[in-house]
Amino acid sequence: QVQLHQWGAALLKPSETLSLTCAVYGGSFSGYYWSWIRQPPGKGLEWIGEINHYGSTNYNPSLKSRVTISIDRSNNQFSLNLKSVTAADTAVYYCARPLTVAGNDAFDIWGQGTLVPVSS
Amino acid sequence: DIVMTQSPDSLAVSLGERATINCKSSQSVLYSSNNKNYLAWYQQQPGQPPKLLIYWASTRESGVPDRFSGSGSGTDFTLTISSLQAEDVAVYYCQQYYNTPYTFGQGTKLEIQ
């Protein structure tokens, strides 16, 4: 049974960098595109970006200038960095895995979510 | 970006009755080479991550009760709950995975009438 466990810094101040890591347990790490998705409190879901085992990335153009997703193959982990945060970046951040390695697939495995408030 | 628009924003249905949620995409999410619609439905309960219900517009995820069904093609899709149960109270989202950036509908809040 594949599980995703995520962690990272909690409360941030404006202009700081958000950093989260997601570890993959119990399944294959290679072959998949691993995604980050966020959800502001009481609002909908926004896809941030994805990375595959080889380090190839795709980002949402709305965040591309501030986002970096990286991979640690030796530990089956991938990470999200979002720089220069503002209050608008306050959200629950999820890591997620698609159904298959084919890419362009629905997300069947999700991390538990991490609430990251941004406040001065 | 493909814009996903759900209707209604909220819905109240009596227990045992049918619930229907619609989703419209701003462009077709049907891939002609494999005749598949790149459309998924999720259920999200408070404090939980979304749970995948339906993918390829109409394929039920393993373990999802058969009262949940998906239909539609191209740009217009529907999630139907045939007989509403108390545990179905949640927010439902559609999502296109036809191309990046993957996008979600704004959500439909389903309540008991």
Side-chain angles (χ1 to χ4, degrees):
Chain A
Q1 179 97 9
V2 177
Q3 292 188 341
L4 304 183
H5 179 69
Q6 55 183 103
W7 67 90
L11 179 62
L12 294 176
K13 291 180 167 54
S15 80
E16 292 184 334
T17 296
L18 179 156
S19 294
L20 296 172
T21 296
C22 182
V24 180
Y25 299 104
S28 175
F29 187 65
S30 62
Y32 288 94
Y33 268 90
W34 301 93
S35 277
W36 288 99
I37 296 162
R38 71 179 183 177
Q39 184 173 35
K43 296 189 178 180
L45 298 154
E46 180 181 33
W47 179 78
I48 299 169
E50 63 185 2
I51 190 166
N52 72 1
H53 185 255
Y54 300 102
S56 177
T57 55
N58 292 302
Y59 297 131
N60 192 321
S62 67
L63 296 167
K64 188 173 184 177
S65 63
R66 299 193 291 129
V67 170
T68 302
I69 299 176
S70 58
I71 198 159
D72 177 358
R73 297 173 198 81
S74 60
N75 289 305
N76 286 8
Q77 296 174 1
F78 61 106
S79 297
L80 169 69
N81 274 12
L82 179 66
K83 64 182 182 183
S84 305
V85 297
T86 69
D89 295 310
T90 293
V92 175
Y93 287 76
Y94 295 102
C95 53
R97 192 205 76 172
L99 269 167
T100 69
V101 300
N104 292 75
D105 215 332
F107 299 109
D108 68 327
I109 308 291
W110 294 68
Q112 78 275 21
T114 302
L115 175 61
V116 181
V118 179
S119 174
S120 55
Chain B
D1 299 5
I2 298 176
V3 177
M4 308 299 290
T5 304
Q6 292 180 226
S7 61
D9 290 334
S10 63
L11 181 63
V13 174
S14 301
L15 289 172
E17 296 299 306
R18 178 185 301 260
T20 301
I21 300 170
N22 300 301
C23 175
K24 188 174 184 67
S25 56
S26 61
Q27 66 186 73
S28 176
V29 298
L30 173 62
Y31 194 37
S32 56
S33 66
N34 60 10
N35 202 37
K36 286 186 173 183
N37 288 283
Y38 285 59
L39 188 285
W41 288 98
Y42 299 87
Q43 176 194 66
Q44 188 177 34
Q45 289 171 327
Q48 297 296 315
K51 173 188 175 183
L52 178 63
L53 297 175
I54 303 284
Y55 56 97
W56 301 132
S58 61
T59 301
R60 201 178 301 115
E61 169 71 327
S62 175
V64 173
D66 62 6
R67 64 180 180 273
F68 290 91
S69 64
S71 63
S73 184
T75 61
D76 292 279
F77 301 91
T78 300
L79 174 70
T80 302
I81 308 172
S82 60
S83 177
L84 189 71
Q85 305 300 302
E87 61 265 31
D88 301 334
V89 170
V91 179
Y92 292 83
Y93 294 95
C94 61
Q95 179 226 342
Q96 66 80 18
Y97 47 97
Y98 182 84
N99 61 18
T100 60
Y102 305 127
T103 48
F104 296 82
Q106 80 276 19
T108 295
K109 185 175 184 179
L110 177 59
E111 299 173 312
I112 304 293
Q113 190 168 57

